[in-house]
Amino acid sequence: MQISARGDYAVRAALSLATAYPSLLSTQAIAAEQDMPRKFLEAVLADLRRAGLVRAQRGAEGGYTLARPPKEVTIGAILRAVDGPLAGVRGMRPEETSYEGAAENLPRLWVAVRASVRQVVDEVSLAELTSGRLPAHVRRLIARPDAWEPR
């Protein structure tokens, strides 16, 4: 799975908002804390707002806040809000792929890949990530000897 810059920035911004929740944070404050370009951050926050994940308040005391408590917002929801479906194969969803011959079973593998990604990003909330208390099944993945090794 490839995490885009947009997805990375969206999760980082949401983590800043989760830490401040329910207070408002300005784009300037988030950009400074996370060392992000402000204009790019504004576009990312607009995507999150359209998805109903954040709320914006205008004015001198304005800014952004999460639309729901951090324990109710998953990393998967944030990634989908800015990048679309989690797993795609040539622009299609895994279950929409079809192959013949030796590759006929490949759609099953693509669906399994998507399911494994979902098992992590859809089951970790902003609250869990900010606190460092990740679910046990995610901690087990991180603890695997090869987890931190590049391939």
Side-chain angles (χ1 to χ4, degrees), residues 85 87-99 107 110-111 114:
V89 181
R90 298 182 336 240
M92 294 184 291
R93 294 181 182 271
E95 70 276 8
E96 295 172 342
T97 61
S98 175
Y99 306 97
W110 297 151
V111 169
R114 179 181 60 190

Side-chain angles (χ1 to χ4, degrees), residues 15-36:
L15 288 167
S16 290
L17 293 172
T19 301
Y21 184 81
S23 299
L24 298 170
L25 284 182
S26 68
T27 54
Q28 184 174 342
I30 298 168
E33 177 189 344
Q34 293 296 325
D35 192 26
M36 299 178 187

Side-chain angles (χ1 to χ4, degrees), residues 63-96:
Y64 289 86
T65 187
L66 293 175
R68 299 188 310 264
K71 67 181 180 183
E72 295 178 15
V73 181
T74 66
I75 304 307
I78 295 163
L79 292 173
R80 284 184 192 90
V82 297
D83 284 335
L86 294 175
V89 181
R90 298 182 336 240
M92 294 184 291
R93 294 181 182 271
E95 70 276 8
E96 295 172 342

